[in-house]
């Protein structure tokens, strides 16, 4: 395993995993995502959006977004795709492409460019109609395995799903909800039948049939892009930033030991933008179609010689690399956080992180410095209690909630929250409810002032009541009817931002 190709929002990168050198190959085609190639051929097939996806906010912008195309070497297809994501070159000579904005999978024979096949998992024709009207499924990943096409539906706040189609006729065989998870990318079916995916929202890698993540970065990052050999797994990392900042954000790769599911190396590539895809060139990539790029030496010689490359890159590209001392610092910090995440699994064994990618500290506590995080207690019938320690941080948005009645699909929706917020040197408790549309504070429940900004929190529940203690003091006693819940003893969890938490039970 020596050479990896990485697609980012702004660049196509060649990464030497042994020398750690990064070579930008091109940057002139708007937004790179999918990377594939046909078995026995030496030309890359890529997908390009042709638009700035941060501008896709409503039906008007989506209706004008079908500017995406596929390229094979220097040849281009017509522009028929809306915000294409992952692609896969199939054995029948066709390219399977996620036509994400159009909410379908599109399959095309590049030798017959006006003929293509489409299939979706719902009747929605666009990924969204407005910022607050997300009707689509956000189909983002495809994998062909044993005559079946596996497709990941990111799902937004509705929860991710795995759709299985027959191939090549694209009949829907099954649509499988993936539990309380949203924002998944990539799907890889191993030779043993294990189904793996990047749980991007928590910065980890999961077996979709298991409650526990296989691996967590332990850092506030976004995982997307997956490649694998028999011994190693390569995972792409992006910063968690707004869409308008993705083009210049840091790009990185993780190398995992596949047998132990632990990080053994980390590559900080530079400010080349959010990582969308990762492929291995010189070895069978088991998370792709398992056939290395043909005539690799010719490809490498052309790449190393810079055949037309410099004319296709902005000047000066070198500013996008991180200084050597910063690369080392970032690498060590990331690897330490990943080790802490492994060691902290015991403390969090009764919880599943479903939203956010907090930093894991050496004692197993998880700190959410910026992004919102949500961890749910594993369902074991009727729940009776949960307890955790918390520490709020001054000078920023900072609050922690004991959650109950959660019925969401991995997003920040559908729950009641007993929220302690930092207000100067004290904490203030208020009660909030999310019915599916927006958060609303329950005005009929009086706020409680003068609480500690760090301490132990315990929530005790029955089907009809919820009692919150901070330290040994009961600070709130509520009925299910006041919270708008059928029952208080289900869907318990912890929700936090600008704070550090750790379970006590």
């Amino acid at each position: 395993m020596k050479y990896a190709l990485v697609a980012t929002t702004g660049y196509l990168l060649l990464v030497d995993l042994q020398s750690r050198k990064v070579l930008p190959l091109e940057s002139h085609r708007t937004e790179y995502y999918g990377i594939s190639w046909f078995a026995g051929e030496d030309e890359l097939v890529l997908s390009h959006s042709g638009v700035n996806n941060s501008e896709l906010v409503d039906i008007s912008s989506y209706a004008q977004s079908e500017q995406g195309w596929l390229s094979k070497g220097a040849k281009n297809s017509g522009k028929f795709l809306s915000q294409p994501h992952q692609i896969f070159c199939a054995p029948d000579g066709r390219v399977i492409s996620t036509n994400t904005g159009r909410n379908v999978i599109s399959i095309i024979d590049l030798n017959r460019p006006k003929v293509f096949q489409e299939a979706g998992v719902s009747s929605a024709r666009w990924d969204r109609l407005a910022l607050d009207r997300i009707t689509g499924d956000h189909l983002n990943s495809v994998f062909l395995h044993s005559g079946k096409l596996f497709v990941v539906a990111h799902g937004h706040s509705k929860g991710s799903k795995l759709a299985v189609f027959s191939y090549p006729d694209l009949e829907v065989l099954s649509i499988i909800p993936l539990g309380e998870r949203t924002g998944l990318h990539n799907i890889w079916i191993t030779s043993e039948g294990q189904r793996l995916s990047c749980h991007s929202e928590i910065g980890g890698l999961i077996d979709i049939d298991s409650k526990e993540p296989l691996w967590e970065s332990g850092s506030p990052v976004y995982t997307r892009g997956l490649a694998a050999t028999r011994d190693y797994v390569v995972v792409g990392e992006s910063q968690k930033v707004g869409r308008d900042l993705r083009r210049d954000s840091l790009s990185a790769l993780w190398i995992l030991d596949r047998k132990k599911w632990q990080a053994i190396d980390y590559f900080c590539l530079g400010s080349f933008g959010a990582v969308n895809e990762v492929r291995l060139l010189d070895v069978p990539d088991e998370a792709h179609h398992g056939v290395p790029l043909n005539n690799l030496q010719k490809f490498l010689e052309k790449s190393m010689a810079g055949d037309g490359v410099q004319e296709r890159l902005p000047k000066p590209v070198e500013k996008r690399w991180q200084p050597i001392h910063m690369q080392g610092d970032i690498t060590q910090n990331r690897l330490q956080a990943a080790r802490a995440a492994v060691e902290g699994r015991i403390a969090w064994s009764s919880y599943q992180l479903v939203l956010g990618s907090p930093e894991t500290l050496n004692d197993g506590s998880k700190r959410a410095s910026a992004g919102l995080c949500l961890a749910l207690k594993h369902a074991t019938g009727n729940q009776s209690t949960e307890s955790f320690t918390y520490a709020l941080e001054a000078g920023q948005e900072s609050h922690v909630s004991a959650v109950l009645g959660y019925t969401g699909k991995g997003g920040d929706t559908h729950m009641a929250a007993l929220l302690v917020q930092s207000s100067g040197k004290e904490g203030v408790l208020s009660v909030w409810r999310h019915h599916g549309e927006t958060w609303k504070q329950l005005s009929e429940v009086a706020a409680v002032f003068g609480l500690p900004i760090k301490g132990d929190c315990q929530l005790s529940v029955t089907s009809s009541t919820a009692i919150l203690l901070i330290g040994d003091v009961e600070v709130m006693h509520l009925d299910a009817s006041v919270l708008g819940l059928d029952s208080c003893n289900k869907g318990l969890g912890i929700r936090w931002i600008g704070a550090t938490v750790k379970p006590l039970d």
Side-chain angles (χ1 to χ4, degrees):
M1 184 178 74
K2 181 175 174 61
Y3 294 107
L5 276 178
V6 179
T8 77
T9 47
Y11 289 84
L12 180 66
L13 306 174
L14 175 65
V15 182
D16 187 324
L17 298 173
Q18 295 180 10
S19 70
R20 309 181 79 87
K21 292 182 179 178
V22 182
L23 178 64
L25 297 181
E26 62 173 79
S27 181
H28 66 291
R29 296 189 273 196
T30 304
E31 291 194 343
Y32 296 83
Y33 204 114
I35 305 173
S36 192
W37 54 86
F38 288 103
E41 297 190 8
D42 59 5
E43 289 185 305
L44 298 178
V45 179
L46 309 172
S47 65
H48 316 273
S49 73
V51 298
N52 182 346
N53 71 65
S54 66
E55 298 175 357
L56 299 179
V57 296
D58 55 23
I59 186 59
S60 177
S61 55
Y62 268 95
Q64 300 176 67
S65 69
E66 291 177 305
Q67 301 298 314
W69 76 97
L70 301 175
S71 65
K72 183 182 181 185
K75 299 178 181 179
N76 298 317
S77 74
K79 295 183 176 181
F80 70 105
L81 297 169
S82 170
Q83 201 188 0
H85 282 51
Q86 196 178 48
I87 63 174
F88 191 103
C89 289
D92 61 4
R94 300 190 299 166
V95 183
I96 304 168
S97 177
T98 48
N99 196 349
T100 307
R102 207 67 170 93
N103 208 43
V104 292
I105 300 300
S106 296
I107 304 179
I108 186 171
D109 183 340
L110 295 175
N111 296 316
R112 302 176 65 200
K114 295 183 180 180
V115 179
F116 56 88
Q117 184 182 10
E118 283 188 350
V121 299
S122 69
S123 60
R125 291 300 295 155
W126 296 99
D127 194 44
R128 68 161 33 113
L129 302 180
L131 285 174
D132 59 348
R133 293 184 63 196
I134 302 174
T135 58
D137 308 290
H138 202 80
L139 307 175
N140 63 30
S141 305
V142 288
F143 187 76
L144 196 59
H145 176 75
S146 299
K148 296 178 182 178
L149 178 62
F150 294 81
V151 179
V152 165
H154 171 296
H156 300 290
S157 62
K158 298 177 291 186
S160 294
K161 299 177 181 179
L162 178 64
V164 184
F165 295 83
S166 60
Y167 191 86
D169 50 340
L170 296 189
E171 294 294 329
V172 177
L173 302 178
S174 61
I175 300 176
I176 307 164
L178 299 182
E180 293 163 336
R181 297 169 173 146
T182 190
L184 268 60
H185 290 84
N186 304 96
I187 179 64
W188 166 31
I189 315 299
T190 71
S191 57
E192 297 80 21
Q194 192 175 22
R195 302 187 295 180
L196 307 183
S197 182
C198 288
H199 191 172
S200 307
E201 292 292 341
I202 71 167
L205 179 68
I206 62 169
D207 178 330
I208 64 175
D209 298 311
S210 172
K211 285 289 186 182
E212 299 298 328
L214 286 172
W215 168 79
E216 291 178 273
S217 65
S219 297
V221 299
Y222 201 78
T223 48
R224 177 174 49 205
L226 183 63
T229 68
R230 184 181 300 272
D231 299 315
Y232 303 103
V233 175
V234 185
V235 180
E237 178 196 287
S238 307
Q239 286 182 278
K240 282 196 167 184
V241 296
R243 286 190 174 192
D244 56 329
L245 299 175
R246 288 181 184 177
R247 188 176 178 86
D248 298 315
S249 60
L250 279 176
S251 316
L253 296 176
W254 288 89
I255 310 296
L256 311 181
D257 182 324
R258 184 171 168 182
K259 295 181 178 63
K260 297 180 180 179
W261 294 113
Q262 293 184 16
I264 58 174
D265 207 349
Y266 178 87
F267 291 71
C268 181
L269 305 179
S271 301
F272 294 104
V275 173
N276 290 327
E277 183 64 289
V278 180
R279 298 292 196 201
L280 294 174
L281 284 174
D282 58 312
V283 294
D285 185 344
E286 296 188 13
H288 188 206
H289 48 42
V291 182
L293 183 68
N294 194 44
N295 205 351
L296 177 61
Q297 190 59 38
K298 177 183 175 182
F299 175 83
L300 294 174
E301 289 173 357
K302 183 177 179 180
S303 300
M304 302 302 182
D307 183 13
V309 169
Q310 297 307 315
E311 289 73 23
R312 301 196 298 267
L313 295 174
K315 308 290 195 279
V317 174
E318 57 267 19
K319 288 187 176 180
R320 294 184 178 271
W321 278 283
Q322 292 297 108
I324 295 297
H325 70 279
M326 291 183 63
Q327 292 182 26
D329 291 345
I330 294 173
T331 295
Q332 291 306 312
N333 289 341
R334 287 287 196 267
L335 290 173
Q336 175 56 39
R339 287 191 290 268
V342 173
E343 295 168 0
R345 285 183 178 177
I346 295 176
W348 289 86
S349 60
S350 59
Y351 285 83
Q352 178 186 3
L353 184 65
V354 299
L355 180 66
S357 51
E359 175 187 4
T360 304
L361 305 182
N362 290 334
D363 65 351
S365 59
K366 293 184 181 292
R367 177 175 180 261
S369 58
L372 182 71
C373 296
L374 175 65
L376 299 178
K377 197 164 187 181
H378 292 312
T380 55
N382 289 335
Q383 299 169 320
S384 60
T385 185
E386 72 166 345
S387 56
F388 55 90
T389 181
Y390 71 91
L392 302 176
E393 299 178 5
Q396 62 172 316
E397 180 183 8
S398 177
H399 55 77
V400 61
S401 298
V403 165
L404 61 163
Y406 182 85
T407 58
K409 300 297 183 181
D412 187 38
T413 64
H414 297 87
M415 71 187 97
L418 311 185
L419 182 148
V420 180
Q421 184 173 8
S422 175
S423 177
K425 295 183 179 181
E426 68 173 19
V428 179
L429 174 65
S430 55
V431 181
W432 296 74
R433 184 76 170 92
H434 196 297
H435 288 283
E437 295 297 327
T438 186
W439 282 100
K440 181 181 179 182
Q441 184 177 355
L442 301 188
S443 57
E444 61 268 35
V445 181
V448 179
F449 296 86
L451 299 176
I453 61 172
K454 62 180 180 179
D456 296 341
C457 180
Q458 179 177 304
L459 178 66
S460 299
V461 294
T462 66
S463 61
S464 59
T465 61
I467 301 172
L468 185 72
L469 286 80
I470 294 182
D472 297 324
V473 179
E474 180 180 315
V475 294
M476 191 161 283
H477 189 135
L478 296 165
D479 293 333
S481 58
V482 173
L483 294 168
L485 300 175
D486 295 330
S487 175
C488 291
N489 57 353
K490 295 180 180 178
L492 303 186
I494 311 169
R495 178 181 181 270
W496 74 105
I497 187 174
T500 300
V501 302
K502 181 181 179 182
L504 292 175
D505 52 350

